Amino acid sequence: MTTSVPLLPGGLIEDGVLRRDFAFLPVDGRLELALADALDAATSTPAAVTGALQASLATLAGRAPERHRVDALCVADRQFLMRRLAALLGRHSGWYAATCVACKARFDFPLDPALLPFKPAGDGFPTARLTLGRRRLQLRVPTGADQIRVLGLPPEGRREALLRGLVEGDAGALPAELAPRHIDRCEAALEAVAPELACEVVADCPECGQRNQVEIDPYGALAHDPDLTLQEVHRLAWHYHWSEAEILAMPRGRRARYLELIDAARGMSQ
Ligand SMILES: [Zn+2]
């Protein structure tokens, strides 16, 4: 069996070359706190996603994860990377909570978000081609930058403003008045070429056996709580008298092991 390196579902086109490779930084306390700082500084979810990916990626398509390059990733790529980041941070150990639609019981089920399926990019990605009336249109799949661009607009105008920003070449190719059916057709053409992540899973209720559709937030890594990191730094510094910098630079697994040893020495576990 070969282990394959994961690739972005879509990828970045730079200088005419499509690249789908990426690498995350090793997870240590420095990354956890940098992530928290990035989230604090963000003013919206798409901005928080960009900040989180900038703080946690070592490389994106072979180069540094500069803001404009992270923003240029299509939405599914950004969700894909956030899922992998959630798996790397692994605070929740892959357990998700749900409430049964039939018997209302709360239950937990195991899931590795990095293993959720996704629809790969279609032919022609990132460009969708369609004919609207007699006009031939080229639209590019929306990116993080597009999401950020329309955030300041009233919600009812966002779909159309988003579409207008996606027209490639002649911006006049899109009619001045867009009927809802035109918007629907444009969105359908985009969906055909855009990659897409599964955001729902089926989980069986352990109480009554009911099959439940459970939504999985693609941006779960944004819920990362820096206070847990600080508490761990505090306990290790208290016990071993190591400096904050030394503890933050420690690989996450080693930090967890030392915390277990402290607990064991106190008779709290084992
Ligand atoms: Zn149930």
Side-chain angles (χ1 to χ4, degrees):
M1 216 175 93
T2 55
T3 50
S4 58
V5 181
L7 294 171
L8 293 170
L12 268 188
I13 295 183
E14 290 173 325
D15 304 322
V17 179
L18 175 73
R19 285 187 66 156
R20 296 168 58 207
D21 55 296
F22 64 91
F24 279 102
L25 293 165
V27 178
D28 59 19
R30 292 172 300 193
L31 170 62
E32 290 168 353
L33 293 190
L35 199 55
D37 289 344
L39 301 186
D40 274 350
T43 51
S44 66
T45 299
V49 169
T50 298
L53 293 178
Q54 274 196 284
S56 56
L57 284 170
T59 59
L60 175 62
R63 285 166 42 201
E66 295 124 334
R67 174 174 297 272
H68 70 277
R69 302 180 71 237
V70 175
D71 278 348
L73 288 169
C74 72
V75 175
D77 281 349
R78 287 159 58 89
Q79 294 180 341
F80 177 85
L81 289 171
M82 289 302 285
R83 281 215 176 133
R84 297 205 74 88
L85 177 60
L88 285 178
L89 291 169
R91 283 274 182 212
H92 310 294
S93 314
W95 286 88
Y96 283 75
T99 302
C100 176
V101 288
C103 74
K104 308 295 177 214
R106 291 278 294 164
F107 65 95
D108 293 327
F109 61 98
L111 174 73
D112 179 349
L115 295 182
L116 279 170
F118 62 85
K119 174 175 86 73
D123 287 343
F125 173 87
T127 307
R129 292 179 171 81
L130 74 156
T131 314
L132 218 54
R134 259 178 284 163
R135 301 164 197 257
R136 296 168 79 89
L137 269 184
Q138 276 192 35
L139 302 169
R140 64 174 174 76
V141 166
T143 64
D146 294 308
Q147 290 181 309
I148 291 169
R149 173 170 59 78
V150 298
L151 268 179
L153 303 175
E156 63 276 13
R158 282 182 198 165
R159 269 176 85 199
E160 183 171 341
L162 183 78
L163 267 188
R164 291 197 178 280
L166 304 178
V167 179
E168 291 194 313
D170 179 11
L174 208 56
E177 295 282 324
L178 268 183
R181 66 190 165 85
H182 289 149
I183 296 181
D184 289 346
R185 288 217 23 229
C186 289
E187 287 180 349
L190 284 167
E191 276 166 24
V193 294
E196 192 181 329
L197 269 71
C199 285
E200 261 189 7
V201 293
V202 173
D204 293 339
C205 172
E207 299 294 325
C208 73
Q210 169 75 33
R211 309 215 94 182
N212 285 272
Q213 297 281 341
V214 184
E215 271 191 49
I216 305 297
D217 179 2
Y219 304 124
L222 296 180
H224 171 72
D225 182 359
D227 199 54
L228 292 172
T229 306
L230 296 181
Q231 287 174 22
E232 292 182 6
V233 170
H234 172 74
R235 285 178 62 207
L236 289 176
W238 183 271
H239 196 86
Y240 293 110
H241 309 288
W242 295 327
S243 73
E244 184 198 50
E246 286 169 322
I247 298 168
L248 289 177
M250 192 178 286
R252 183 189 178 81
R254 202 174 348 145
R255 195 175 77 212
R257 182 66 188 130
Y258 280 125
L259 289 165
E260 282 174 8
L261 292 173
I262 294 174
D263 283 350
R266 285 184 179 160
M268 288 167 66
S269 67
Q270 291 182 353

Short mmCIF file of all heavy atoms in Angstrom, two decimals, residues 191-223:
data_model
loop_
_atom_site.label_atom_id
_atom_site.label_comp_id
_atom_site.label_asym_id
_atom_site.label_seq_id
_atom_site.Cartn_x
_atom_site.Cartn_y
_atom_site.Cartn_z
N GLU A 191 -21.22 25.35 -9.96
CA GLU A 191 -21.21 24.15 -9.11
C GLU A 191 -20.68 22.93 -9.86
O GLU A 191 -20.09 22.03 -9.28
CB GLU A 191 -22.61 23.86 -8.56
CG GLU A 191 -22.92 24.68 -7.31
CD GLU A 191 -24.40 24.67 -6.96
OE1 GLU A 191 -25.11 23.73 -7.35
OE2 GLU A 191 -24.84 25.64 -6.28
N ALA A 192 -20.89 22.91 -11.19
CA ALA A 192 -20.45 21.76 -11.98
C ALA A 192 -18.92 21.68 -12.05
O ALA A 192 -18.37 20.59 -12.18
CB ALA A 192 -21.04 21.84 -13.39
N VAL A 193 -18.23 22.81 -11.96
CA VAL A 193 -16.76 22.75 -12.03
C VAL A 193 -16.09 22.92 -10.67
O VAL A 193 -14.93 22.54 -10.50
CB VAL A 193 -16.16 23.80 -13.00
CG1 VAL A 193 -16.56 23.51 -14.43
CG2 VAL A 193 -16.50 25.21 -12.60
N ALA A 194 -16.81 23.49 -9.69
CA ALA A 194 -16.20 23.73 -8.38
C ALA A 194 -16.11 22.44 -7.58
O ALA A 194 -17.04 21.64 -7.59
CB ALA A 194 -17.03 24.76 -7.60
N PRO A 195 -14.99 22.21 -6.89
CA PRO A 195 -14.98 21.09 -5.95
C PRO A 195 -15.93 21.39 -4.79
O PRO A 195 -16.30 22.55 -4.59
CB PRO A 195 -13.53 21.05 -5.44
CG PRO A 195 -12.87 22.29 -5.90
CD PRO A 195 -13.78 23.02 -6.85
N GLU A 196 -16.34 20.34 -4.09
CA GLU A 196 -17.28 20.55 -2.99
C GLU A 196 -17.02 19.53 -1.90
O GLU A 196 -16.79 18.35 -2.20
CB GLU A 196 -18.70 20.40 -3.53
CG GLU A 196 -19.77 20.87 -2.56
CD GLU A 196 -21.17 20.66 -3.15
OE1 GLU A 196 -21.32 20.73 -4.39
OE2 GLU A 196 -22.09 20.42 -2.35
N LEU A 197 -17.05 19.99 -0.66
CA LEU A 197 -16.84 19.08 0.47
C LEU A 197 -18.17 18.62 1.04
O LEU A 197 -19.11 19.40 1.09
CB LEU A 197 -16.07 19.79 1.59
CG LEU A 197 -14.55 19.65 1.54
CD1 LEU A 197 -14.00 20.46 0.39
CD2 LEU A 197 -13.93 20.06 2.84
N ALA A 198 -18.21 17.37 1.47
CA ALA A 198 -19.40 16.89 2.17
C ALA A 198 -19.48 17.63 3.50
O ALA A 198 -18.50 17.70 4.22
CB ALA A 198 -19.30 15.38 2.40
N CYS A 199 -20.63 18.24 3.78
CA CYS A 199 -20.80 18.97 5.04
C CYS A 199 -21.84 18.28 5.92
O CYS A 199 -22.29 18.83 6.90
CB CYS A 199 -21.19 20.42 4.78
SG CYS A 199 -19.79 21.40 4.20
N GLU A 200 -22.26 17.07 5.53
CA GLU A 200 -23.24 16.32 6.30
C GLU A 200 -22.81 14.86 6.36
O GLU A 200 -22.28 14.35 5.39
CB GLU A 200 -24.61 16.37 5.61
CG GLU A 200 -25.54 17.39 6.19
CD GLU A 200 -26.95 17.25 5.63
OE1 GLU A 200 -27.23 16.27 4.88
OE2 GLU A 200 -27.76 18.09 5.93
N VAL A 201 -23.04 14.23 7.50
CA VAL A 201 -22.80 12.79 7.58
C VAL A 201 -24.05 12.12 8.15
O VAL A 201 -24.91 12.79 8.73
CB VAL A 201 -21.59 12.44 8.49
CG1 VAL A 201 -20.30 12.93 7.88
CG2 VAL A 201 -21.78 13.00 9.88
N VAL A 202 -24.12 10.81 7.98
CA VAL A 202 -25.23 10.05 8.57
C VAL A 202 -24.71 9.41 9.85
O VAL A 202 -23.64 8.80 9.86
CB VAL A 202 -25.70 8.95 7.58
CG1 VAL A 202 -26.73 8.05 8.25
CG2 VAL A 202 -26.29 9.60 6.34
N ALA A 203 -25.45 9.59 10.94
CA ALA A 203 -25.08 8.97 12.21
C ALA A 203 -26.32 8.30 12.80
O ALA A 203 -27.38 8.92 12.86
CB ALA A 203 -24.52 10.01 13.17
N ASP A 204 -26.17 7.04 13.21
CA ASP A 204 -27.31 6.30 13.79
C ASP A 204 -27.42 6.58 15.28
O ASP A 204 -26.41 6.53 16.00
CB ASP A 204 -27.13 4.79 13.57
CG ASP A 204 -27.22 4.43 12.09
OD1 ASP A 204 -27.80 5.23 11.33
OD2 ASP A 204 -26.69 3.37 11.71
N CYS A 205 -28.65 6.87 15.73
CA CYS A 205 -28.87 7.12 17.16
C CYS A 205 -28.69 5.82 17.93
O CYS A 205 -29.31 4.81 17.60
CB CYS A 205 -30.28 7.66 17.37
SG CYS A 205 -30.73 7.79 19.10
N PRO A 206 -27.84 5.81 18.98
CA PRO A 206 -27.63 4.57 19.74
C PRO A 206 -28.85 4.20 20.59
O PRO A 206 -28.98 3.04 21.01
CB PRO A 206 -26.42 4.90 20.63
CG PRO A 206 -26.38 6.39 20.72
CD PRO A 206 -27.01 6.92 19.46
N GLU A 207 -29.76 5.17 20.83
CA GLU A 207 -30.93 4.89 21.68
C GLU A 207 -32.05 4.22 20.89
O GLU A 207 -32.60 3.21 21.32
CB GLU A 207 -31.48 6.19 22.28
CG GLU A 207 -30.50 6.92 23.18
CD GLU A 207 -30.18 6.13 24.46
OE1 GLU A 207 -31.08 5.45 24.97
OE2 GLU A 207 -29.02 6.19 24.91
N CYS A 208 -32.40 4.81 19.70
CA CYS A 208 -33.58 4.30 18.97
C CYS A 208 -33.25 3.83 17.56
O CYS A 208 -34.12 3.35 16.85
CB CYS A 208 -34.67 5.38 18.92
SG CYS A 208 -34.30 6.74 17.80
N GLY A 209 -32.01 3.97 17.13
CA GLY A 209 -31.62 3.47 15.82
C GLY A 209 -31.93 4.38 14.65
O GLY A 209 -31.63 4.06 13.50
N GLN A 210 -32.56 5.52 14.92
CA GLN A 210 -32.91 6.48 13.86
C GLN A 210 -31.65 6.95 13.12
O GLN A 210 -30.63 7.23 13.75
CB GLN A 210 -33.61 7.69 14.51
CG GLN A 210 -33.81 8.90 13.62
CD GLN A 210 -34.93 8.71 12.61
OE1 GLN A 210 -35.93 8.04 12.90
NE2 GLN A 210 -34.78 9.27 11.43
N ARG A 211 -31.74 7.01 11.77
CA ARG A 211 -30.63 7.59 10.99
C ARG A 211 -30.76 9.11 11.05
O ARG A 211 -31.82 9.65 10.77
CB ARG A 211 -30.68 7.16 9.52
CG ARG A 211 -30.81 5.68 9.30
CD ARG A 211 -30.04 5.26 8.06
NE ARG A 211 -28.71 4.83 8.48
CZ ARG A 211 -27.76 4.43 7.62
NH1 ARG A 211 -27.97 4.48 6.33
NH2 ARG A 211 -26.59 4.03 8.08
N ASN A 212 -29.69 9.77 11.43
CA ASN A 212 -29.70 11.23 11.53
C ASN A 212 -28.71 11.83 10.54
O ASN A 212 -27.60 11.34 10.40
CB ASN A 212 -29.28 11.67 12.95
CG ASN A 212 -30.37 11.46 13.97
OD1 ASN A 212 -31.21 12.32 14.17
ND2 ASN A 212 -30.36 10.30 14.62
N GLN A 213 -29.15 12.89 9.85
CA GLN A 213 -28.22 13.69 9.04
C GLN A 213 -27.61 14.73 9.97
O GLN A 213 -28.34 15.51 10.57
CB GLN A 213 -28.98 14.43 7.92
CG GLN A 213 -29.66 13.53 6.91
CD GLN A 213 -28.69 12.98 5.88
OE1 GLN A 213 -27.61 13.51 5.71
NE2 GLN A 213 -29.06 11.89 5.23
N VAL A 214 -26.30 14.73 10.10
CA VAL A 214 -25.65 15.67 11.02
C VAL A 214 -24.73 16.59 10.22
O VAL A 214 -23.92 16.12 9.40
CB VAL A 214 -24.82 14.92 12.09
CG1 VAL A 214 -24.23 15.91 13.10
CG2 VAL A 214 -25.68 13.89 12.81
N GLU A 215 -24.91 17.89 10.43
CA GLU A 215 -24.05 18.86 9.74
C GLU A 215 -22.69 18.94 10.41
O GLU A 215 -22.59 18.95 11.63
CB GLU A 215 -24.70 20.25 9.80
CG GLU A 215 -25.62 20.51 8.64
CD GLU A 215 -26.04 21.97 8.57
OE1 GLU A 215 -25.16 22.84 8.66
OE2 GLU A 215 -27.25 22.20 8.46
N ILE A 216 -21.64 18.97 9.59
CA ILE A 216 -20.28 19.12 10.11
C ILE A 216 -19.76 20.48 9.66
O ILE A 216 -19.63 20.73 8.46
CB ILE A 216 -19.36 17.99 9.55
CG1 ILE A 216 -19.94 16.62 9.86
CG2 ILE A 216 -17.95 18.15 10.11
CD1 ILE A 216 -20.06 16.28 11.32
N ASP A 217 -19.49 21.35 10.61
CA ASP A 217 -19.00 22.70 10.30
C ASP A 217 -17.61 22.61 9.67
O ASP A 217 -16.69 22.08 10.28
CB ASP A 217 -18.94 23.51 11.61
CG ASP A 217 -18.42 24.92 11.39
OD1 ASP A 217 -18.16 25.28 10.22
OD2 ASP A 217 -18.29 25.65 12.39
N PRO A 218 -17.48 23.10 8.42
CA PRO A 218 -16.15 23.00 7.79
C PRO A 218 -15.10 23.87 8.48
O PRO A 218 -13.91 23.69 8.28
CB PRO A 218 -16.39 23.47 6.35
CG PRO A 218 -17.64 24.28 6.41
CD PRO A 218 -18.46 23.73 7.55
N TYR A 219 -15.56 24.81 9.29
CA TYR A 219 -14.63 25.73 9.94
C TYR A 219 -14.51 25.46 11.44
O TYR A 219 -14.25 26.38 12.23
CB TYR A 219 -15.07 27.18 9.69
CG TYR A 219 -15.21 27.52 8.22
CD1 TYR A 219 -16.39 28.02 7.71
CD2 TYR A 219 -14.14 27.33 7.34
CE1 TYR A 219 -16.52 28.33 6.35
CE2 TYR A 219 -14.26 27.62 5.98
CZ TYR A 219 -15.46 28.13 5.51
OH TYR A 219 -15.57 28.41 4.17
N GLY A 220 -14.69 24.20 11.83
CA GLY A 220 -14.63 23.84 13.25
C GLY A 220 -13.32 24.24 13.92
O GLY A 220 -13.29 24.51 15.12
N ALA A 221 -12.23 24.31 13.13
CA ALA A 221 -10.93 24.67 13.72
C ALA A 221 -10.94 26.09 14.27
O ALA A 221 -10.09 26.44 15.10
CB ALA A 221 -9.81 24.52 12.68
N LEU A 222 -11.91 26.92 13.86
CA LEU A 222 -11.98 28.29 14.37
C LEU A 222 -12.41 28.31 15.84
O LEU A 222 -12.26 29.33 16.51
CB LEU A 222 -12.95 29.14 13.54
CG LEU A 222 -12.59 29.36 12.07
CD1 LEU A 222 -13.64 30.23 11.40
CD2 LEU A 222 -11.22 30.02 11.94
N ALA A 223 -12.97 27.18 16.32
CA ALA A 223 -13.41 27.12 17.71
C ALA A 223 -12.25 26.84 18.66
O ALA A 223 -12.44 26.71 19.86
CB ALA A 223 -14.49 26.04 17.87
#
